[in-house]
Amino acid sequence: MGAPSSDCPDPFEHAKLELSLKMQQPVHDTASSPNLGVAVPLKKHQRISMTPGAGDHVYLVTYGVVLVEGKLPEQRRQVLEILYDGDIYPTQDAPEFLATALVASTASELRRLKQQAAEALSGNQPEFARRIAAASAVRGTRRTIHLASISRPSGEERLADFLVEMGLHLGRPVVSGRMFDLPLSRDDIADYLALNPDTLSRLFSRLKAKRMIAISQGRATVADWEALCRLSPLSGPLVELSKRCRSIE
Amino acid sequence: MGAPSSDCPDPFEHAKLELSLKMQQPVHDTASSPNLGVAVPLKKHQRISMTPGAGDHVYLVTYGVVLVEGKLPEQRRQVLEILYDGDIYPTQDAPEFLATALVASTASELRRLKQQAAEALSGNQPEFARRIAAASAVRGTRRTIHLASISRPSGEERLADFLVEMGLHLGRPVVSGRMFDLPLSRDDIADYLALNPDTLSRLFSRLKAKRMIAISQGRATVADWEALCRLSPLSGPLVELSKRCRSIE
DNA sequence: CGTGTTGTTGAACTGTCTCAAGGACGGTGG
DNA sequence: CCACCGTCCTTGAGACAGTTCAACAACACG
């Protein structure tokens, strides 16, 4: 289905960059040196469209935060999922008519492999196969959680779910709380949570008024992490997932 | 994560049934006769809970329609996805705290393999691996489409998306239209579409009033299929997916 | 120091949710 | 055969929450 084609100029200009890829370490030469795919560095807001017609690929996120966007004709775009360091994204998942694209939310680094090449590698390299399977499972679970979150009617709960997700992925604990960057814009978050940006702004204001969260210049501080988790119906599964995630590395 | 444990008595009572499984055909003996898993026949409404603690499994749907349910404590259950003939479901996708279960919407037949066994088979049997990969990709795409559908604010559009999905999977064309069974109850559909059952009922009534659809005894007749597709924002991706589905077999 | 983008907020509107009442079946038992 | 029951579905009235539109503030950028 999807095929890569960068919308912005020079997506490969840094392709020779020396990357410290986690995926690279477990690989040993077999016959011909195994191809771990093309390195694709992305600047913030740079996008990669899945153009129909070309072959399927697999993207590995080696650094940064990347949004998977979809867009129906005449409709507001949607943020279908968020990819983090270590995630995998097969373009097969993108229906052609959904005009899917990967968009860097922070400066990011991907690796791109042909679908076939990835399958071949999985066949030859058990360690590679293991990592891919683990990454797929994590992504599958995260998608389930996101769906469950979106399905709840309450906007406030969805926002809390999102903040817990971000906090777990990008945050560091501070005294009795947690602190993390919020790389997504309000519109990004709204499109991820299937909410109107105006509504989302109100929800943020409400949380700020309740002293659940403080935000300045894209940096969020949650004074009482436990309280936020109580507000998020899916904090349980999210914490569980984040533990599983960490146990892979 | 998830582990199988049937809630109803005798889930295996028909285990010796001679099944005409598609998955069985491409398998050839290698060392020891390959284990294609335990056959699990399900009566309508029978459920299989993923109990935490036991090992991961992979379920293959060989017949029928099966719902994947999730439930948060104190909350209404959710229908996370619908599985059809040929689908695959790895219990890894079910977060432990989501109390996930498979529920037969019609009488159904599953096959259950240990996660490890499935991986081993994939390693040995390229044809098996190919089928599993194709089924996973189809499921991934369907999940993406479902998420995109749920994310739209309009209930009417979500219902139209659902009807197109069912029509494509279970329907036969009739003169200038389409006809199919609706195995899900109103509540099932509501939980799948993240809508209130009352609201869903109103939406159905509205569609009936518009002569978009007629329903009698669980059988739906859509006189003007094209019109329904125009109402469904995701009919494009759904049709595309259904074609891909058919090309696998 | 404009200019454009991004975020906030109010007022009115629209659609969903909730609750409650009642209808339509389908089964059971007298 | 009919009365009774449970379950599933439908429908109305009112409450509630998200959406829309528009105005404006905050901020970054050139």
Side-chain angles (χ1 to χ4, degrees):
Chain A
M1 232 84 303
S5 91
S6 185
D7 292 344
C8 291
D10 293 314
F12 299 102
E13 63 181 349
H14 307 304
K16 325 119 206 172
L17 255 180
E18 179 72 12
L19 300 175
S20 62
L21 298 177
K22 285 184 204 135
M23 306 303 299
Q24 224 162 16
Q25 290 155 15
V27 172
H28 313 288
D29 270 4
T30 38
S32 59
S33 157
N35 178 12
L36 271 178
V38 187
V40 185
L42 292 180
K43 303 190 196 108
K44 189 165 180 170
H45 298 143
Q46 200 176 339
R47 42 196 301 131
I48 302 176
S49 305
M50 315 289 147
T51 61
D56 288 325
H57 290 254
V58 174
Y59 286 92
L60 306 166
V61 179
T62 50
Y63 179 76
V65 177
V66 177
L67 308 183
V68 182
E69 276 191 9
K71 186 166 177 326
L72 256 9
E74 318 284 310
Q75 305 279 325
R76 190 178 175 87
R77 65 93 190 254
Q78 306 176 302
V79 174
L80 300 170
E81 53 181 309
I82 305 178
L83 305 176
Y84 304 91
D85 185 10
D87 264 329
I88 185 176
Y89 185 78
T91 60
Q92 280 187 341
D93 268 8
E96 193 173 310
F97 289 168
L98 207 46
T100 313
L102 303 179
V103 183
S105 197
T106 67
S108 309
E109 238 152 37
L110 309 183
R111 286 222 139 220
R112 194 187 71 218
L113 290 92
K114 287 217 177 70
Q115 174 76 32
Q116 272 192 316
E119 282 166 16
L121 259 185
S122 285
N124 302 336
Q125 314 271 352
E127 179 60 12
F128 180 83
R130 204 187 61 70
R131 266 190 175 283
I132 294 290
S136 298
V138 165
R139 175 170 167 258
T141 308
R142 187 161 45 232
R143 293 222 290 167
T144 301
I145 295 174
H146 181 211
L147 178 67
S149 176
I150 291 300
S151 297
R152 323 233 74 254
S154 152
E156 186 159 313
E157 291 178 349
R158 291 195 278 204
L159 177 53
D161 288 333
F162 167 77
L163 289 172
V164 170
E165 177 183 341
M166 294 307 274
L168 288 171
H169 270 99
L170 308 178
R172 298 188 316 271
V174 295
V175 266
S176 85
R178 222 170 160 81
M179 197 172 196
F180 51 93
D181 288 327
L182 262 187
L184 309 214
S185 73
R186 286 285 188 277
D187 279 23
D188 289 337
I189 301 174
D191 293 343
Y192 181 62
L193 298 179
L195 283 169
N196 187 295
D198 299 328
T199 303
L200 181 68
S201 180
R202 276 180 253 272
L203 292 175
F204 262 112
S205 302
R206 224 192 292 164
L207 282 191
K208 278 188 247 175
K210 283 197 216 165
R211 310 230 165 260
M212 292 292 300
I213 191 171
I215 296 183
S216 74
Q217 328 187 132
R219 166 144 300 200
T221 312
V222 177
D224 186 348
W225 180 252
E226 298 303 326
L228 181 62
C229 286
R230 275 195 299 279
L231 226 109
S232 149
L234 287 155
S235 58
L238 282 166
V239 169
E240 176 193 338
L241 176 64
S242 118
K243 278 186 199 145
R244 206 211 299 178
C245 230
R246 240 166 298 153
S247 74
I248 294 178
E249 327 239 332
Chain B
M1 233 84 300
S5 92
S6 185
D7 293 342
C8 291
D10 293 312
F12 300 104
E13 65 182 346
H14 307 304
K16 327 118 204 172
L17 254 181
E18 180 73 12
L19 300 174
S20 62
L21 297 175
K22 285 184 206 137
M23 305 304 300
Q24 225 161 15
Q25 291 155 15
V27 172
H28 313 289
D29 269 3
T30 38
S32 57
S33 156
N35 178 12
L36 271 178
V38 188
V40 184
L42 293 180
K43 303 191 197 107
K44 189 167 178 168
H45 297 144
Q46 200 178 337
R47 42 194 303 133
I48 301 176
S49 304
M50 314 290 146
T51 61
D56 288 324
H57 289 255
V58 174
Y59 285 93
L60 305 166
V61 179
T62 52
Y63 178 77
V65 177
V66 177
L67 308 183
V68 181
E69 275 191 11
K71 185 162 178 332
L72 257 9
E74 317 285 310
Q75 305 281 324
R76 190 178 174 85
R77 66 94 189 252
Q78 305 177 303
V79 174
L80 299 169
E81 54 181 311
I82 305 178
L83 304 175
Y84 304 91
D85 184 12
D87 263 329
I88 185 176
Y89 185 79
T91 61
Q92 281 188 342
D93 269 8
E96 193 172 312
F97 289 169
L98 207 46
T100 312
L102 302 180
V103 183
S105 197
T106 67
S108 309
E109 240 152 36
L110 308 183
R111 288 222 137 219
R112 194 188 70 218
L113 290 92
K114 288 217 177 71
Q115 174 77 33
Q116 273 193 315
E119 280 166 16
L121 259 185
S122 285
N124 302 336
Q125 313 273 350
E127 179 61 12
F128 181 83
R130 204 187 60 71
R131 263 189 177 284
I132 295 290
S136 299
V138 164
R139 175 170 167 259
T141 307
R142 188 163 43 234
R143 294 223 289 166
T144 301
I145 294 174
H146 181 211
L147 178 66
S149 176
I150 291 299
S151 297
R152 321 234 74 254
S154 153
E156 186 159 312
E157 291 179 348
R158 287 192 258 182
L159 177 53
D161 288 333
F162 168 76
L163 290 172
V164 170
E165 177 183 341
M166 293 308 273
L168 288 171
H169 270 99
L170 308 177
R172 300 186 315 271
V174 295
V175 268
S176 84
R178 225 173 157 80
M179 197 171 194
F180 51 94
D181 288 327
L182 262 187
L184 309 214
S185 73
R186 286 285 188 279
D187 280 23
D188 289 336
I189 302 174
D191 293 343
Y192 181 63
L193 297 180
L195 284 169
N196 186 293
D198 300 332
T199 302
L200 180 68
S201 179
R202 278 179 251 273
L203 292 175
F204 262 113
S205 302
R206 225 192 290 165
L207 282 192
K208 279 189 243 174
K210 284 197 215 165
R211 312 230 165 260
M212 292 292 300
I213 193 171
I215 296 182
S216 75
Q217 335 192 122
R219 165 142 303 198
T221 312
V222 177
D224 187 348
W225 180 253
E226 299 303 326
L228 182 63
C229 286
R230 276 195 299 279
L231 227 113
S232 149
L234 287 155
S235 58
L238 283 166
V239 169
E240 175 193 339
L241 176 64
S242 120
K243 279 187 199 148
R244 207 211 298 181
C245 234
R246 242 167 296 152
S247 74
I248 294 178
E249 326 240 332

